[in-house]
Amino acid sequence: MPPQVFLSVTCEYCFSHYVAAAFLILTRFKLLYDDWRGYLIALFALVWVANQYMSVYNHLRLDIKHEQIEIHAKQKDLSQDRKAA
């Protein structure tokens, strides 16, 4: 499903809160407290952890892409050197 569909309804940041809230309601997971405060703390903790994981994932993707571009450029230079020699 294209991201434009989700963005037309809500932004990605808000959508992550909705998904986390649905997950918490479904599993009845609470953090630190047994009442509504436990749900609230768990909601923001879950969204924070998910955003940290996504940040690490995006950095890794960027590093891998950068390495692939460098390898491609080196291979291109080597093939041009071989043709010239």
Side-chain angles (χ1 to χ4, degrees), residues 18-49:
Y18 299 148
V19 171
F23 174 78
L24 293 177
I25 290 170
L26 208 93
T27 61
R28 297 179 185 218
F29 179 74
K30 299 173 196 144
L31 198 61
L32 297 177
Y33 297 104
D34 287 333
D35 55 356
W36 63 271
R37 296 176 295 176
Y39 284 119
L40 191 64
I41 292 170
L43 173 69
F44 290 116
L46 181 61
V47 170
W48 182 80
V49 169

Side-chain angles (χ1 to χ4, degrees), residues 4 13 16 27 40 44 53 60 67 81:
Q4 292 83 7
Y13 183 74
S16 68
T27 61
L40 191 64
F44 290 116
Y53 275 121
L60 286 174
E67 287 175 3
D81 289 343

Side-chain angles (χ1 to χ4, degrees), residues 28-77:
R28 297 179 185 218
F29 179 74
K30 299 173 196 144
L31 198 61
L32 297 177
Y33 297 104
D34 287 333
D35 55 356
W36 63 271
R37 296 176 295 176
Y39 284 119
L40 191 64
I41 292 170
L43 173 69
F44 290 116
L46 181 61
V47 170
W48 182 80
V49 169
N51 285 331
Q52 294 302 314
Y53 275 121
M54 288 302 296
S55 177
V56 168
Y57 172 74
N58 286 333
H59 282 292
L60 286 174
R61 264 186 59 207
L62 188 61
D63 288 343
I64 291 169
K65 182 73 171 178
H66 182 69
E67 287 175 3
Q68 287 176 347
I69 289 171
E70 283 181 357
I71 290 169
H72 182 67
K74 286 179 183 178
Q75 287 175 345
K76 190 175 178 181
D77 288 342

